[in-house]
Amino acid sequence: CMIYTFIFSYYPLSGWIMAFQKYKPAKGYAGSEFVGFDQFTFLFTDSEFWKAMRNTLAMSLMNLFFGTVLAIIFALLLNELRMQGFKKFTQTASYLPHFLSWIIVTSLVADMLASDGMVNQLLMGIGLTKSPILFLGDEKYFWWVATFANVWKETGWNSIIYIAAITGIDPTMYEAAELDGAAKGRQFLAVTLPGLRSVLTFVIVTVFIGACKIMVQPMLMTGEQSFTITLNYLMYIEGYTYRSVSYT
């Protein structure tokens, strides 16, 4: 285990030296020119970097908040169901989208929200708008669309962890709270939420890490736009298109 960890976790960290060089793969670390903090100076003055940082943080935080809150609510609702057959069916149907490729999900969303898509046709049909709304071409709509797609895809899957944690809470604590006159809302705050604390911390950290790795979803929906470029996509472009290894 120590050898494996050293080879795959620690040895690759030597590559950080490239950030302080004008690195040329053919010359290696020893033959590449040392440029100090030049790459960092360029990074913090690059407008594309700040756009990517803004987009990544905005979409990540939105995904984290709505994904976490809706997953907990969904887990609570499922836990209250007493019809086991319907409960199992609902749970299975809810986490199936998790197994769909983002290519499929973004294609569905793009088709539904296109100018001649189902959503715009419905809105114009019932008179809420006179012309199609550019859901995928306007920054004020797009981040919400991307968040909705992520929540639809992952809420059912994330709720599994919360359901497992809720079922592990001692039922007598709910009985005691009910005898004390606590309503469902109060039971959630006094019993369920404290029981979910450790699981919630773990899930929030892992979900936020995953959300910060956003790359293909926005690009698949709209192509390269100023409000869809993320840090991962920027690294991909700099590294594979422009071959700026040190900057990447």
Side-chain angles (χ1 to χ4, degrees):
C1 288
M2 291 176 65
I3 294 172
Y4 178 89
T5 303
F6 174 78
I7 292 174
F8 292 102
S9 297
Y10 288 98
Y11 175 69
L13 297 184
S14 63
W16 284 0
I17 195 173
M18 288 187 291
F20 303 94
Q21 297 178 320
K22 190 173 182 180
Y23 181 75
K24 301 293 184 183
K27 296 182 178 180
Y29 299 153
S32 297
E33 179 188 355
F34 182 79
V35 295
F37 288 96
D38 286 1
Q39 305 290 352
F40 295 89
T41 302
F42 180 69
L43 174 73
F44 291 115
T45 55
D46 183 8
S47 61
E48 289 299 311
F49 166 73
W50 290 112
K51 287 179 186 177
M53 176 68 80
R54 179 201 63 175
N55 297 340
T56 302
L57 286 178
M59 287 188 279
S60 298
L61 291 173
M62 289 172 72
N63 287 338
L64 176 65
F65 176 77
F66 290 103
T68 301
V69 170
L70 292 176
I72 293 175
I73 293 173
F74 186 63
L76 290 170
L77 293 174
L78 278 179
N79 191 58
E80 292 296 320
L81 286 176
R82 295 294 173 262
M83 299 170 60
Q84 291 301 315
F86 180 69
K87 180 178 180 178
K88 290 179 180 178
F89 170 79
T90 304
Q91 188 172 355
T92 302
S94 68
Y95 68 65
L96 281 178
H98 171 79
F99 299 101
L100 293 177
S101 162
W102 269 112
I103 294 175
I104 297 173
V105 174
T106 53
S107 296
L108 289 171
V109 173
D111 286 343
M112 287 191 296
L113 298 179
S115 299
D116 57 349
M118 180 178 66
V119 174
N120 271 313
Q121 293 295 327
L122 178 63
L123 293 176
M124 289 189 292
I126 59 179
L128 290 180
T129 180
K130 294 182 180 179
S131 58
I133 299 174
L134 299 177
F135 289 105
L136 302 179
D138 192 327
E139 182 177 336
K140 67 180 179 182
Y141 296 119
F142 178 76
W143 286 353
W144 291 101
V145 171
T147 301
F148 164 77
N150 186 77
V151 167
W152 175 79
K153 188 175 186 296
E154 301 296 344
T155 294
W157 180 259
N158 292 337
S159 69
I160 295 174
I161 301 174
Y162 296 118
I163 292 171
I166 291 171
T167 54
I169 298 174
D170 188 353
T172 58
M173 297 180 68
Y174 288 103
E175 294 173 4
E178 194 171 350
L179 287 173
D180 286 341
K184 288 291 183 183
R186 184 60 184 168
Q187 289 178 32
F188 170 74
L189 294 174
V191 180
T192 306
L193 204 55
L196 292 175
R197 186 177 299 148
S198 58
V199 174
L200 191 59
T201 303
F202 169 76
V203 171
I204 286 176
V205 171
T206 54
V207 168
F208 184 69
I209 291 172
C212 286
K213 295 179 180 179
I214 294 173
M215 177 177 169
V216 295
Q217 302 97 297
M219 312 310 298
L220 288 171
M221 287 186 198
T222 65
E224 189 172 324
Q225 303 277 356
S226 62
F227 52 85
T228 62
I229 295 175
T230 60
L231 286 175
N232 270 5
Y233 182 74
L234 185 62
M235 285 188 282
Y236 172 80
I237 291 296
E238 292 291 342
Y240 288 96
T241 302
Y242 302 122
R243 304 293 180 182
S244 305
V245 179
S246 294
Y247 183 55
T248 303

